[in-house]
Amino acid sequence: QVQLMESGGGLVKPGGSLRLSCAGSGFTFSDFYMTWVRQAPGKGLEWLSYISSSSSTIYYADSVKGRFTISRDNAEKSLYLQMNSLRAEDTAIYYCVRFRLNAFEMWGQGTMVTVSS
Amino acid sequence: QSALTQPASVSGSPGQSITISCTGTSRDVGGYNYVSWYQQHPGKTPKLMIYEVSNRPSGVSNRFSGSKSGNTASLTISGLQAEDEADYYCSSYTSSTTWVFGGGTKLTVL
């Protein structure tokens, strides 16, 4: 079964750090570009970051540039998001998304990150 | 990276057709044919409905169609059904090598 499974979310204090992981299964992970998208409670979708299949190309949204780092391990079929200097406004569900057809083709179930003191 | 502009809500009766607009600029919607649309039911994960302006992924009903004119993209749902009630988001690639979403549109089937 083709799926993406995120983990690593939780409660963190402002200024703290968290590392999200996403495990891909049922497909050749190394063939696909991957992205992170988040959704604050009751709000819309926000694209965060994008990484090419070989990690040679990486892009970030201005809102997270310099604080978040995307990476991947194709041997482990995993995608990561290192989040530093977290703020209250980073509170959201974080989705790992496979990128194909120039679109956000397949979404994981998401992991909740809450930034609060 | 301003969000694309969508109406907050639209509504229609079963069997009718509705259209959701998504307005950007020449630096995103108008500049690239990389507009996509997503359906999200409450508490569920978004689902890709349209990619590259007007293409449907396998398994998506042909009642869903997409188009673009200038800086505005549109999603049309024909033969509206109760199950279509959901939030819909557009997205576009931008000249800043980033991606941007619209604010979302809540579709109510009356």
Side-chain angles (χ1 to χ4, degrees):
Chain A
Q1 182 182 2
V2 178
Q3 67 176 7
L4 296 165
M5 184 68 69
E6 302 92 338
S7 60
L11 175 63
V12 60
K13 290 181 168 54
S17 297
L18 212 53
R19 189 194 195 207
L20 305 183
S21 299
C22 168
S25 60
F27 64 99
T28 305
F29 185 82
S30 58
D31 283 350
F32 293 88
Y33 289 21
M34 298 295 297
T35 68
W36 287 99
V37 176
R38 71 183 178 187
Q39 186 170 33
K43 302 297 184 182
L45 302 171
E46 180 186 13
W47 172 81
L48 298 179
S49 186
Y50 161 108
I51 185 168
S52 63
S53 53
S54 65
S55 304
S56 59
T57 300
I58 289 175
Y59 301 131
Y60 296 100
D62 286 346
S63 59
V64 303
K65 195 177 298 182
R67 299 190 301 126
F68 290 10
T69 302
I70 191 172
S71 62
R72 65 190 294 164
D73 184 333
N74 287 337
E76 295 294 323
K77 301 180 183 180
S78 293
L79 176 72
Y80 306 101
L81 187 67
Q82 176 66 44
M83 305 186 297
N84 299 329
S85 304
L86 284 162
R87 308 164 179 165
E89 53 266 35
D90 294 319
T91 294
I93 297 173
Y94 285 71
Y95 294 103
C96 164
V97 189
R98 190 174 78 177
F99 192 81
R100 194 175 80 90
L101 307 173
N102 292 302
F104 305 99
E105 182 220 10
M106 187 179 77
W107 299 63
Q109 288 304 303
T111 186
M112 184 69 201
V113 171
T114 302
V115 183
S116 174
S117 55
Chain B
Q1 293 171 349
S2 300
L4 305 175
T5 300
Q6 297 180 233
S9 63
V10 298
S11 63
S13 299
Q16 288 185 332
S17 293
I18 63 95
T19 296
I20 299 171
S21 61
C22 171
T23 301
T25 70
S26 59
R27 296 183 299 277
D28 38 63
V29 174
Y32 305 92
N33 287 325
Y34 295 150
V35 176
S36 49
W37 290 90
Y38 304 85
Q39 176 191 64
Q40 187 178 32
H41 288 107
K44 301 297 185 182
T45 296
K47 175 186 177 183
L48 175 64
M49 305 302 285
I50 296 288
Y51 67 94
E52 293 176 350
V53 176
S54 60
N55 296 298
R56 277 187 311 275
S58 174
V60 172
S61 170
N62 59 10
R63 298 186 298 106
F64 291 82
S65 63
S67 63
K68 189 183 84 166
S69 177
N71 297 335
T72 298
S74 299
L75 173 71
T76 298
I77 308 174
S78 59
L80 210 56
Q81 299 179 2
E83 68 206 49
D84 299 331
E85 185 163 294
D87 293 327
Y88 291 84
Y89 295 90
C90 63
S91 178
S92 175
Y93 179 69
T94 83
S95 60
S96 302
T97 60
T98 61
W99 293 84
V100 63
F101 284 95
T105 298
K106 181 178 179 61
L107 169 61
T108 300
V109 179
L110 302 170

